[in-house]
Amino acid sequence: MQRGNQNLPKVTGTGDARDPYPSAMRVHMLPCCRVYVSLFAFLSVTAPAQNPAPQQSAARESTTAADYNDADYRKFDQTLSFLRERNARQYAIDSARGVDEAMYVHVGGIDQWVTIRGEDRQNPVLLFVHGGPGDVTNPWSFALFAAWEKRFTVVQWDQRGAGRTLRGTGPSVASTMTLDRMAQDGIELSEFLRKHLGKDRVVLVAHSFGSILGLRMVQARPDLFYAYVGTGQVSDETKTYSVAYAALLEKAQVTGNQQAVAELRRIGPPPYPNGEGYGVQRKWANSFEGADRFLPGTLGLALVAPGNSVRDLNDSIDGQILSGDRLVPQARSSTSKDLGLEFAVPMFFFQGTEDFTTPTALARQYLGAIKAPHKEFMPIDGGHFAVFMNSDQFLRELVAHVLPLAGGH
């Protein structure tokens, strides 16, 4: 099957019976790639099951015809519009000293979507580099990062081939999507932010796949950054699944989860001959980390985010598929040496205490091997998505350990 946007189910008023599991979701993905888990969470509530039994198919078609008509969707959209307007008021930046901007910035030869929000322009600038690849956080993180905006000017960026950036360029940008090009995009964006906001440097926080780009950015241009903060930190993609398997099996045994023990023992340690083994690992990583409960919630947040629409959800799906196709093969063999072992900026890993996607133990080991003027490993309660699921604790650690380096208080 050809992979691409034409295979994706869209969120529409009448439903869509196309294959909800495009081939990009069936292959062995990078462990750090949220495309595997977030698309599943999203599609599980927006698309019918694959290959249903005949009687199930007939019943589902009847339900679709009866319940998913345009009038019902318009009524639903009116409710969403009300909630978006309410949230826009609730989360408005109303300080005279604040900043609230959403715009396309021309970097890397294309226009890329950026939002800038903070309650005091004097605060340090924090650039958040999302994971995925292609998993934009702009559409749903407004409530989770609201407290951050009191201490930092928070910048979110839809990377090349993702979200609203993809909306502006279309899929023709695919041939330019390389790790080097996208890290350079981030560097050019950081240069823009310095000038636009009148700052000497910025704080870089990178999540999951975004940490691959973030490491390249701070290594190439340390003069642009006060510090690097990795979370869901990629450490060595050649070892991740093996380390994660051992940690998952231990967690299953300690918690007495016999189903998890049985399924993990059945597949055994990686490598696996097909996608089944990796799927079982991902299933139990999501379960033990709480991601299977968190990820569907991001869908609800995206639907009621100020300024959003269903189109943003579709852009996000398109971007995750395109980015996965283009970027996963480039990063799959990354070792710690490939990622970098010497840096000229303070290095922090704020890692979930039980991250089974980019294993906590592997991240700690990687930081131990790094040479930097300063480095710290800070455990955050939770798993791969601790930066979101425990955003308040994450902020407290940022304020205590990173903010002073940026001249904040």
Side-chain angles (χ1 to χ4, degrees):
M1 179 188 296
Q2 181 182 359
R3 288 187 283 184
N5 300 344
Q6 70 273 19
N7 294 327
L8 293 172
K10 301 291 187 178
V11 184
T12 65
T14 56
D16 194 324
R18 287 175 288 177
D19 180 6
Y21 302 107
S23 54
M25 294 177 61
R26 299 192 187 107
V27 298
H28 168 202
M29 303 295 287
L30 280 179
C32 68
C33 292
R34 186 180 164 189
V35 70
Y36 193 97
V37 287
S38 65
L39 277 177
F40 178 81
F42 179 84
L43 296 173
S44 67
V45 296
T46 61
Q50 186 180 14
N51 300 326
Q55 65 270 24
Q56 292 174 322
S57 177
R60 187 175 296 278
E61 289 176 2
S62 175
T63 300
T64 298
D67 294 339
Y68 293 94
N69 57 59
D70 289 340
D72 285 343
Y73 180 78
R74 284 195 297 271
K75 182 177 180 180
F76 177 58
D77 194 50
Q78 289 175 353
T79 301
L80 295 180
S81 295
F82 167 80
L83 293 173
R84 291 174 191 133
E85 292 172 2
R86 184 198 66 181
N87 287 333
R89 294 190 299 271
Q90 181 176 345
Y91 292 97
I93 301 292
D94 55 10
S95 170
R97 297 186 300 175
V99 55
D100 184 1
E101 299 177 340
M103 57 189 171
Y104 281 100
V105 177
H106 195 74
V107 294
I110 63 172
D111 291 338
Q112 304 199 33
W113 184 252
V114 175
T115 61
I116 305 173
R117 285 177 54 89
E119 295 189 4
D120 189 340
R121 285 178 176 270
Q122 300 304 311
N123 284 337
V125 174
L126 184 154
L127 172 59
F128 187 84
V129 182
H130 67 71
D135 186 22
V136 293
T137 48
N138 252 321
W140 51 264
S141 60
F142 67 97
L144 303 179
F145 286 167
W148 292 31
E149 294 164 0
K150 299 180 186 299
R151 308 305 297 268
F152 296 91
T153 296
V154 179
V155 179
Q156 295 197 68
W157 159 45
D158 290 9
Q159 298 161 17
R160 180 180 296 257
R164 290 198 185 190
T165 298
L166 178 61
R167 179 191 301 182
T169 64
S172 63
V173 76
S175 62
T176 69
M177 294 172 62
T178 67
L179 298 178
D180 286 341
R181 175 63 264 175
M182 292 171 67
Q184 184 60 35
D185 289 348
I187 289 171
E188 293 182 27
L189 174 60
S190 300
E191 291 176 326
F192 165 81
L193 294 172
R194 286 203 309 175
K195 296 176 182 178
H196 183 67
L197 298 171
K199 302 296 183 181
D200 292 330
R201 302 184 183 191
V202 302
V203 173
L204 182 65
V205 178
H207 176 242
S208 194
F209 171 81
S211 66
I212 298 176
L213 302 181
L215 290 173
R216 289 172 178 241
M217 291 165 61
V218 298
Q219 190 170 52
R221 289 293 304 276
D223 58 300
L224 296 176
F225 305 101
Y226 286 116
Y228 169 86
V229 182
T231 184
Q233 177 65 50
V234 177
S235 302
D236 188 333
E237 290 297 336
T238 66
K239 299 178 180 178
T240 294
Y241 273 112
S242 296
V243 174
Y245 176 84
L248 285 167
L249 185 57
E250 180 181 4
K251 177 70 173 181
Q253 292 170 332
V254 168
T255 59
N257 190 322
Q258 296 306 315
Q259 181 184 356
V261 170
E263 291 187 12
L264 289 166
R265 284 180 171 167
R266 177 177 59 80
I267 62 170
Y272 303 112
N274 53 50
E276 180 188 6
Y278 300 107
V280 170
Q281 279 209 32
R282 179 63 57 239
K283 169 187 174 180
W284 290 110
N286 287 346
S287 177
F288 291 143
E289 293 176 357
D292 54 355
R293 298 181 296 279
F294 164 72
L295 293 174
T298 65
L299 171 62
L301 286 170
L303 286 172
V304 299
N308 270 14
S309 69
V310 169
R311 184 177 182 184
D312 290 284
L313 295 175
N314 288 330
D315 288 338
S316 180
I317 295 174
D318 289 349
Q320 290 183 60
I321 293 296
L322 177 64
S323 299
D325 287 349
R326 297 297 303 182
L327 298 171
V328 167
Q330 298 179 43
R332 185 175 289 148
S333 60
S334 297
T335 65
S336 296
K337 184 177 179 181
D338 297 325
L339 294 169
L341 293 173
E342 294 190 21
F343 298 89
V345 302
M347 301 291 290
F348 298 86
F349 287 1
F350 287 12
Q351 194 79 355
T353 52
E354 291 189 300
D355 187 335
F356 300 101
T357 306
T358 48
T360 306
L362 207 55
R364 189 185 293 273
Q365 178 182 333
Y366 175 40
L367 185 63
I370 284 176
K371 293 182 180 179
H374 179 84
K375 59 183 183 180
E376 289 187 55
F377 189 97
M378 303 303 304
I380 304 294
D381 294 340
H384 191 61
F385 303 107
V387 60
F388 309 113
M389 297 175 70
N390 277 301
S391 59
D392 288 344
Q393 182 188 355
F394 201 100
L395 175 61
R396 289 195 298 272
E397 301 296 353
L398 282 174
V399 170
H401 299 275
V402 180
L403 187 61
L405 299 176
H409 52 79

